[in-house]
Each structure stands twice: as C-alpha cells, then as structure tokens.
Amino acid sequence: GQNIDQPTEMTATEGAIVQINCTYQTSGFNGLFWYQQHAGEAPTFLSYNVLDGLEEKGRFSSFLSRSKGYSYLLLKELQMKDSASYLCAVRGIAAGNKLTFGGGTRVLVKP
Amino acid sequence: NAGVTQTPKFRVLKTGQSMTLLCAQDMNHEYMYWYRQDPGMGLRLIHYSVGEGTTAKGEVPDGYNVSRLKKQNFLLGLESAAPSQTSVYFCASSGEDWGQPQHFGDGTRLSIL
C-alpha cells in the first residue's frame, strides 16, 4: 500500500515563497506528481519527478529524494491567483499508471 | 480540444435511485479513471480501465460499477444511491507512457438525499 502525508493548510504573503512538503511510504515507486486545484475546479498538472533532484518550471519547482520518501513543491513570487490546493500524488509500479493522492495542502495567499 | 468532458455537472438524487455518470475523452488515451473527492480525504480511486473492454477495482469500488465499451468513454454507475455517496466525482485519462500525467474533467457534484 501507499501512505502520503502533506500539511493541511499554509498561509503566505503575496510576493513571498512557500514550500509544501510531501512524505510518502510506498511498496513501489514510479514517480511523483504535483497538481494544483482551485476551489470548485479540476486538478491541473504542475510537475513530475521520477529521479532525485530539482525540476524547475518558471515560478514553480519540485524536488524529490527517493531514499527519504520526500518531495516538496516550491512556489516563488507568490501571486493571489496561487491560492489553491496543491495535491501530491505517487505513482506505483502496477499496471495502469495509477496514482495515490495525499489529502492536499490548501495555500492561502494574503496581500 | 475539449480534453476530458463529464456529464452531468450537478445532480441531486434520492436514496435508492440509480444513475450513470458519463466521461468522454478526445485525446486517444488508453487509461481512464474515476475518483471521488471528499473534504479532507483527497482524491480516492473508485475504478479504472487500461483499455477498451477492460475495468478494474480501485481503492473504494463498493457501490459502483463501470463500463468501457468504447475507448473514448468511461461510464460510472450507481445502482442504488446512498447518502454516503454524496461527493464530487472526477474522471481522468492518461496515455501509457510512465511520465504522462492524468488529465481531469471538471467534475460532477452529486448529492444524495
């Protein structure tokens, strides 16, 4: 089975940086995904890590350490529109590319 | 490009009624998934399909059935709705390559009274 933990809620100020941590325990690992979900909307894909290290995409970066079962999503130069939930999801090794999601971290950006 | 389309977007049912949620994707994806999302629980996989004519159980399959008669469509059925099935249901699809993300529909908000 898989267990994924991330903080429930975080608050940050516009223009600042926020780091959302995700820890996982899994019987098989084949990649970690981060999704953004605005209230009442569908999750949208942000990033994918399968090897250790940092992946950077504009203001968003994601880091993975497979040996520690740990990832983080870094949001820089926060904007009001970044207020959303951020979902960490782990892909196992079974057929079907199935994902197991954490409970999500709700980020509130304040002016 | 529509991506993943779910119908209906909202529905209210009475306990014991049945209904079918429809998911259609136009990306020629092999894999399709049905999730439910409840407050504080995250997304939980109900059933999934790895190709036309195939279905498999996910984490929370009880009370639901699915069918994948055509590659582009994945149907989720509730035979006898229960209040515990009040939730937001998301359909997703993905390609077969390991690095491909799942693409989600806009969701169906289902209330069972």
Side-chain angles (χ1 to χ4, degrees):
Chain A
Q2 294 172 328
N3 187 44
I4 301 169
D5 290 313
Q6 49 181 132
T8 305
E9 193 168 297
M10 302 179 75
T11 302
T13 304
E14 191 176 15
I17 299 172
V18 69
Q19 177 174 316
I20 306 168
N21 296 325
C22 173
T23 59
Y24 63 89
Q25 297 92 39
T26 178
S27 55
F29 178 84
N30 206 358
L32 188 143
F33 291 79
W34 283 97
Y35 283 82
Q36 181 189 59
Q37 185 179 26
H38 285 101
E41 298 183 7
T44 56
F45 169 70
L46 285 178
S47 69
Y48 169 65
N49 295 72
V50 67
L51 300 176
D52 291 350
L54 189 67
E55 295 281 342
E56 296 187 83
K57 270 188 183 181
R59 294 189 299 114
F60 293 2
S61 303
S62 57
F63 172 83
L64 176 67
S65 170
R66 289 172 295 171
S67 63
K68 295 182 179 178
Y70 169 69
S71 173
Y72 67 73
L73 180 69
L74 196 68
L75 285 63
K76 294 179 260 188
E77 300 169 17
L78 279 171
Q79 302 176 8
M80 299 300 291
K81 67 178 181 179
D82 297 330
S83 291
S85 288
Y86 293 85
L87 314 179
C88 172
V90 171
R91 171 174 287 165
I93 58 175
N97 289 354
K98 292 183 293 178
L99 296 179
T100 302
F101 284 84
T105 300
R106 184 180 168 196
V107 172
L108 177 62
V109 180
K110 294 185 174 180
Chain B
N1 190 347
V4 179
T5 303
Q6 292 183 232
T7 53
K9 296 190 184 307
F10 304 93
R11 186 74 183 268
V12 178
L13 291 178
K14 294 182 180 178
T15 297
Q17 287 185 316
S18 64
M19 80 162 294
T20 300
L21 280 65
L22 174 64
C23 177
Q25 54 96 4
D26 62 3
M27 295 172 282
N28 201 35
H29 284 163
E30 284 295 329
Y31 299 158
M32 295 187 75
Y33 315 86
W34 275 107
Y35 294 90
R36 60 178 290 174
Q37 187 174 39
D38 303 294
M41 300 289 289
L43 287 159
R44 292 183 292 169
L45 184 65
I46 304 171
H47 286 280
Y48 65 101
S49 168
V50 297
E52 182 179 311
T54 76
T55 63
K57 294 180 180 179
E59 180 186 354
V60 288
D62 294 343
Y64 306 95
N65 56 75
V66 287
S67 64
R68 183 109 180 261
L69 299 180
K70 292 183 179 181
K71 185 177 182 178
Q72 64 267 35
N73 296 338
F74 195 29
L75 278 63
L76 178 71
L78 285 73
E79 290 186 348
S80 179
S84 61
Q85 295 177 304
T86 293
S87 188
V88 180
Y89 292 86
F90 286 100
C91 176
S93 71
S94 79
E96 294 173 272
D97 293 340
W98 287 114
Q100 289 201 24
Q102 293 184 11
H103 299 265
F104 286 81
D106 288 337
T108 295
R109 282 144 187 83
L110 183 61
S111 293
I112 299 161
L113 307 177

